[in-house]
Amino acid sequence: MSPHTTQAARRRRRFFRSPWAHAVLALIVVSLIQGFLLKVYQVPSGSMEQTLNVGDRVLVNRTAYAFTEPKRGDVTVFRKPATWGPGPEHGSLRTAVGWFGEVTGIGPSNTEYVVKRLIGVPGDTVECCGSGGQLTVNGEAIAEPYVFEDLPFDPGNRDCTTAVASPRCFGPIRLGQDQYLLLGDHRSNSDDSVAACRSAAAETDCVKTAGRSDLVGTVEWFLFPFEKWGGSENLRAAIGSTQ
């Protein structure tokens, strides 16, 4: 082996033993995990209270929909479709930081993500309300123990049949191919799929849906605050089910 080759080998060994090389390797590993397997997500708004509160940090399973179909009741993180309205404008520095987040999966990104509960899947008909004010899916009223501060509904006085209808009422909405309907658990404080439909003057195209490619994954684990820390069993106990 020539002296030049020996020196090059020594330089490579020194590099791979250096803290910088370890930092780069760790960054690559974390980026791959957050980009394809698990993503740490910070809850940005109160639309999912009390299931998820502002500032909660949760772990999103990005493989959840790789092999199974999305299910009603999933607490789902999805990319905000353009039809849901414009996203926030970012300056050049924030855009650069967002680009780093897009590439590595670490920190904020330029893509706006939203977390809601998946209520309707393609082929479903979703409506509100049943006689007791319940949400119905395919004509069946569903139990929603997770709903927080629902919109007012008073059977016989202010419901879906009275002159002044309850603001809880909407639909029926028939979901087409690749249309998923998502609602917030804090039903009276959620800009969700039917927010623009809760009015007698609502347009026929008021519903906002997400496509399968928009769905990133399901919330599986609380990371912070620590009193909520736990896996999917604890989370399911908090969110209930629409199955």
Side-chain angles (χ1 to χ4, degrees):
M1 181 179 296
S2 70
H4 178 74
T5 303
T6 302
Q7 290 176 1
R10 287 173 180 169
R11 283 196 296 269
R12 284 195 296 271
R13 284 196 296 270
R14 283 198 299 269
F15 172 77
F16 286 114
R17 291 172 181 171
S18 72
W20 289 108
H22 295 167
V24 170
L25 179 60
L27 179 62
I28 292 172
V29 171
V30 171
S31 299
L32 289 173
I33 290 173
Q34 292 219 77
F36 298 99
L37 300 176
L38 300 168
K39 168 74 173 175
V40 177
Y41 178 85
Q42 181 173 345
V43 178
S45 74
S47 68
M48 284 296 292
E49 292 175 337
Q50 302 271 320
T51 303
L52 303 173
N53 295 318
V54 177
D56 281 358
R57 285 173 173 79
V58 294
L59 199 60
V60 177
N61 179 7
R62 302 192 73 150
T63 67
Y65 300 137
F67 308 106
T68 60
E69 292 296 316
K71 303 185 301 297
R72 301 185 201 98
D74 287 350
V75 175
T76 301
V77 170
F78 60 101
R79 299 175 189 86
K80 181 180 176 181
T83 53
W84 286 56
E89 294 185 2
H90 296 142
S92 56
L93 179 59
R94 174 59 179 79
T95 300
V97 172
W99 176 85
F100 178 82
E102 296 278 2
V103 172
T104 66
I106 299 172
S109 68
N110 293 324
T111 302
E112 189 174 2
Y113 293 93
V114 187
V115 59
K116 304 288 182 190
R117 188 181 296 274
L118 202 163
I119 297 295
V121 299
D124 282 348
T125 298
V126 183
E127 184 176 6
C128 197
C129 301
S131 59
Q134 311 99 316
L135 188 73
T136 67
V137 178
N138 301 325
E140 297 290 330
I142 61 174
E144 294 190 287
Y146 44 77
V147 169
F148 176 63
E149 292 185 349
D150 206 346
L151 292 156
F153 186 95
D154 185 8
N157 295 309
R158 194 179 185 190
D159 56 29
C160 298
T161 64
T162 53
V164 179
S166 163
R168 194 182 300 185
C169 302
F170 68 84
I173 295 169
R174 171 79 177 185
L175 298 174
Q177 184 178 3
D178 198 35
Q179 288 187 315
Y180 295 85
L181 187 143
L182 301 108
L183 303 182
D185 286 0
H186 191 171
R187 205 55 55 87
S188 60
N189 184 37
S190 178
D191 182 14
D192 52 31
S193 286
V194 301
C197 300
R198 298 181 184 276
S199 166
E203 301 290 337
T204 55
D205 60 349
C206 59
V207 65
K208 299 179 294 187
T209 60
R212 177 68 179 269
S213 62
D214 297 316
L215 306 183
V216 174
T218 56
V219 176
E220 297 288 343
W221 196 288
F222 283 110
L223 297 178
F224 182 84
F226 297 121
E227 59 266 24
K228 285 186 174 182
W229 192 89
S232 56
E233 182 177 351
N234 292 345
L235 187 59
R236 289 193 189 99
I239 65 175
S241 173
T242 58
Q243 296 301 306

